[in-house]
Amino acid sequence: MNNVAQYDVESIRNDFPILGKKIHGNPLVYLDNAASSQHPVQVINAIKELYESGYSNIHRGVHQLSQDATKAYENGRASVRGFVNADCMHEIIFTSGTTESINLVAQSYARPLLKKGDEVLITHMEHHSNIVPWQIVCEQTGAELRVVPISGRGELEMDRFAALLSERTKMVAVGHVSNALGTVNPIKEIIDQAHALNVPVLVDGAQAVPHIPVDVQALDCDFYAFSGHKLYGPTGIGVLYGKEKFLSKMPPYKGGGDMILSVSFEKTEYNALPYKFEAGTPNIAGAIGLGAAIEYIQSIGLGAIAAHEHGLLEYATSKLRDIEGLRVIGEADQKAGLISFVLDQVHPHDIGTMLDMEGVAIRTGHHCAQPVMEHFKVPATARASFGMYNTFGEIDVLAEALNKTIGMFA
Amino acid sequence: MDNLRELYQEVILDHNKNKRNYRKIENPDSFAHGVNPLCGDQIDVYLNLRDGVVEDVSFDGQGCAICTSSASMMTVALKGKTEADAHALFESFHHALTDDEVHPEDVPLGKLKVLTGVKEFPVRVKCATLAWHTFDAALKKVQDDISTE
Ligand SMILES: Cc1ncc(COP(=O)(O)O)c(C=O)c1O
């Protein structure tokens, strides 16, 4: 409770210029953080400074600017390494986002290894980006995709997971936190059970890293993927953490400059990790912005942020439950950062438009998780998702706007 | 808030709550399935023609208020229209909602005019046009069947 009391949300809000904006004449209430979060001045300035006084291509020039930019880019990697507590820098690969990170593992790790009769195990609550890359690689190799079901509360059926895991399983890919339900999955348990059968595990951490301190060594996960833009950082930058023992044996995912040591037409020698997987000029500003975002988060403390958001979630859940005709979708014991819901009388799209006119930004739709929608037999949901800068007062505005919406459609 | 009233006019809210011709036609002359993959709206449109005239048209499925009321109002507007007039009405409606150059007032839409408030909400235009696209697809199907016979 102390943590929450000391948490200075107003001073945090002052760091985010966009939060002062008005939408349709009302103060912006930004509750779409699970889709993408906003940016503190510290991130904006880091990018601005780069372009104003430190920019050049990296890893290539002998000149001063190139050395400075290279250093700043690698500092971004160092921040990421510390943030997820990876053992070494070269286990952190910059990608364009979670989606590319997962595709990289599917194509470079799984594809050469999978064959007919093998299985890839995912869950029913995955984001499309942790479904489709596995479908593609299964199609390419003849392997089969197996899916762990979820319960009516939106939790993984762990006994089914155990039953589906077998010597045929060659890969497990699971979300840490569900973007459609908010469920926090027991990934440590999943990893331990998979490892007992020597099966590597990829964790889709896109929705987890903004809310939960992650230690990839303590988890012992083999791959961990996330995006910068859900972590108060820029778009177009993401991370793949991978254990060196896997990464070093994997073939490159893309070919081009920077990922090679030497090229002749007879033979090309690949560069060392992590550069082997970073072909072409990378997202330099993205990596630097992501580094700044992580430093900003660390200056507040992810633990304190998580406690604040947990308070918001509890408050919002009880407030929304009081609204007649509102059904919360996803009632797992362990939830983080978001609440999905439907109204009896009003379609999520109409909720979205009504709330927008009040300045409240939420997401409506299937959240790139159509199997989840089908499981709960809803075409779509409305989703309010929280970030470090949201307030209890904003939840009141949300509830008020929902009541107004119901009034209009009743 | 004024924009909102334009969007969710009483007539629209009424058609959303009390859907007209919201039923399946068994063994229809034609049928089409429409989806808006972005929002998950799904609509089936059923069509019976007699002597080139829309004898019966109905819909079912799930969608937002704009999508549902647009479908409901469409079925009312289409009944009794010739195929040519029905297709022309689809074109006018589509035109009024999607062409920035066109002022909705200038298009003869009759009761459907209430739906043109959606133009102020560009992301919602697809909701209003889904049923119409689906109807037009159903109409084309019969016409194609006839022309290939
Ligand atoms: C759980 C989850 N996985 C993956 C993704 C994909 O992330 P990106 O679009 O940044 O690649 C998202 C983003 O919506 C997500 O919520």
Side-chain angles (χ1 to χ4, degrees):
Chain A
M1 209 50 217
N2 253 348
N3 247 348
V4 180
Q6 282 162 18
Y7 191 84
D8 189 353
V9 73
E10 280 314 315
S11 105
I12 291 172
R13 292 181 69 81
N14 287 335
D15 287 334
F16 289 76
I18 207 170
L19 297 180
K21 200 176 157 71
K22 295 223 151 133
I23 302 287
H24 304 298
N26 294 301
L28 167 65
V29 174
Y30 190 75
L31 298 176
D32 195 17
N33 295 286
S36 213
S37 49
Q38 302 295 349
H39 307 86
V41 281
Q42 287 80 348
V43 169
I44 298 166
N45 287 343
I47 296 169
K48 192 163 169 267
E49 264 164 40
L50 170 75
Y51 284 131
E52 282 180 358
S53 59
Y55 180 75
S56 169
N57 208 330
I58 57 166
H59 296 148
R60 289 178 193 182
V62 291
H63 59 80
Q64 186 65 46
L65 276 181
S66 180
Q67 291 178 39
D68 291 350
T70 303
K71 202 165 158 215
Y73 178 79
E74 291 302 329
N75 279 344
R77 196 188 314 273
S79 296
V80 172
R81 189 209 65 77
F83 186 60
V84 296
N85 193 33
D87 188 24
C88 33
M89 287 275 274
H90 62 247
E91 290 177 321
I92 302 297
I93 292 157
F94 281 127
T95 64
S96 65
T98 309
T99 303
E100 191 184 28
S101 298
I102 298 172
N103 277 280
L104 193 165
V105 176
Q107 289 301 313
S108 282
Y109 173 75
R111 189 176 178 182
L113 163 134
L114 290 176
K115 52 188 191 322
K116 209 168 166 3
D118 291 342
E119 293 175 0
V120 174
L121 188 53
I122 62 169
T123 87
H124 202 110
M125 70 169 92
E126 298 310 313
H127 187 279
H128 293 167
S129 66
N130 200 25
I131 301 175
V132 183
W134 305 113
Q135 280 175 328
I136 292 173
V137 76
C138 284
E139 186 122 312
Q140 288 163 337
T141 59
E144 215 179 304
L145 192 65
R146 305 301 298 269
V147 183
V148 181
I150 53 181
S151 71
R153 298 167 58 83
E155 291 171 327
L156 284 182
E157 295 193 358
M158 286 302 288
D159 51 338
R160 296 295 303 282
F161 169 73
L164 281 164
L165 197 61
S166 75
E167 69 284 356
R168 287 185 302 279
T169 315
K170 292 295 177 306
M171 182 86 214
V172 169
V174 59
H176 195 165
V177 172
S178 156
N179 71 307
L181 301 168
T183 310
V184 182
N185 286 319
I187 53 165
K188 181 65 187 143
E189 205 179 319
I190 288 170
I191 292 163
D192 288 348
Q193 289 188 34
H195 283 181
L197 291 178
N198 274 323
V199 183
V201 179
L202 173 139
V203 179
D204 169 359
Q207 294 295 341
V209 284
H211 311 294
I212 300 173
V214 169
D215 180 332
V216 291
Q217 293 188 74
L219 286 172
D220 198 25
C221 58
D222 304 284
F223 300 100
Y224 196 99
F226 60 97
S227 301
H229 68 97
K230 296 180 199 286
L231 196 62
Y232 311 99
T235 55
I237 187 81
V239 172
L240 173 67
Y241 158 80
K243 280 184 186 162
E244 180 183 358
K245 66 170 179 177
F246 293 109
L247 292 177
S248 60
K249 295 205 188 83
M250 285 157 56
Y253 172 57
K254 299 185 289 194
D258 259 357
M259 51 75 71
I260 42 81
L261 279 181
S262 69
V263 176
S264 70
F265 289 111
E266 287 72 43
K267 182 166 170 60
T268 291
E269 258 188 84
Y270 301 133
N271 204 341
L273 288 175
Y275 310 111
K276 181 169 78 172
F277 292 107
E278 293 180 1
T281 300
N283 187 345
I284 302 167
I288 290 167
L290 176 56
I294 287 172
E295 281 163 30
Y296 182 75
I297 290 167
Q298 286 169 333
S299 74
I300 294 160
L302 195 48
I305 293 170
H308 174 70
E309 289 170 346
H310 188 71
L312 291 172
L313 178 66
E314 294 218 312
Y315 185 64
T317 305
S318 79
K319 265 270 177 191
L320 263 50
R321 282 235 175 85
D322 283 347
I323 296 175
E324 216 180 289
L326 186 147
R327 174 157 75 105
V328 173
I329 304 291
E331 300 180 290
D333 270 346
Q334 300 293 321
K335 273 178 75 169
L338 67 89
I339 176 163
S340 238
F341 59 92
V342 292
L343 293 178
D344 274 351
Q345 305 275 349
V346 196
H347 189 278
H349 259 189
D350 299 309
I351 302 175
T353 296
M354 292 291 293
L355 264 51
D356 180 50
M357 295 313 276
E358 303 286 328
V360 182
I362 60 158
R363 173 85 185 268
T364 63
H366 55 56
H367 316 292
C368 295
Q370 283 180 326
V372 174
M373 301 297 116
E374 166 245 324
H375 176 76
F376 286 95
K377 303 205 165 23
V378 292
T381 76
R383 178 187 73 187
S385 54
F386 312 117
M388 62 162 90
Y389 38 64
N390 289 122
T391 66
F392 292 84
E394 288 181 315
I395 310 267
D396 293 337
V397 176
L398 167 70
E400 186 60 29
L402 285 171
N403 279 320
K404 234 188 217 181
T405 302
I406 291 168
M408 178 126 161
F409 282 80
Chain B
M1 212 52 195
D2 283 353
N3 272 350
L4 266 189
R5 293 248 160 69
E6 272 290 301
L7 181 65
Y8 295 116
Q9 298 195 32
E10 280 306 320
V11 190
I12 292 177
L13 293 175
D14 174 62
H15 272 271
N16 180 43
K17 254 205 284 192
N18 310 301
K19 307 173 190 64
R20 324 294 202 266
N21 302 303
Y22 185 71
R23 61 191 151 80
K24 189 177 166 147
I25 297 175
E26 298 297 335
N27 307 315
D29 291 342
S30 188
F31 151 87
H33 180 64
V35 257
N36 185 345
L38 216 63
C39 48
D41 287 354
Q42 299 213 18
I43 275 214
D44 290 326
V45 170
Y46 307 89
L47 174 63
N48 272 341
L49 294 168
R50 172 179 276 184
D51 305 329
V53 169
V54 176
E55 185 187 47
D56 194 7
V57 55
S58 72
F59 78 106
D60 63 9
Q62 270 187 326
C64 65
I66 304 302
C67 172
T68 305
S69 57
S70 178
S72 172
M73 292 172 79
M74 174 188 82
T75 59
V76 174
L78 286 175
K79 261 195 217 180
K81 289 244 175 338
T82 64
E83 287 179 42
D85 286 351
H87 178 71
L89 190 56
F90 159 70
E91 298 250 291
S92 308
F93 185 74
H94 194 254
H95 197 53
L97 259 60
T98 57
D99 190 337
D100 286 343
E101 305 288 303
V102 172
H103 197 281
E105 291 290 327
D106 301 337
V107 186
L109 288 175
K111 286 184 180 160
L112 301 176
K113 193 175 271 170
V114 294
L115 283 161
T116 57
V118 77
K119 229 177 161 171
E120 299 298 315
F121 298 80
V123 294
R124 304 302 299 275
V125 167
K126 279 205 162 79
C127 309
T129 54
L130 177 63
W132 284 91
H133 279 292
T134 313
F135 165 74
D136 205 50
L139 189 61
K140 276 216 186 76
K141 261 195 223 169
V142 224
Q143 290 170 340
D144 287 351
D145 285 350
I146 292 166
S147 64
T148 51
E149 260 166 23

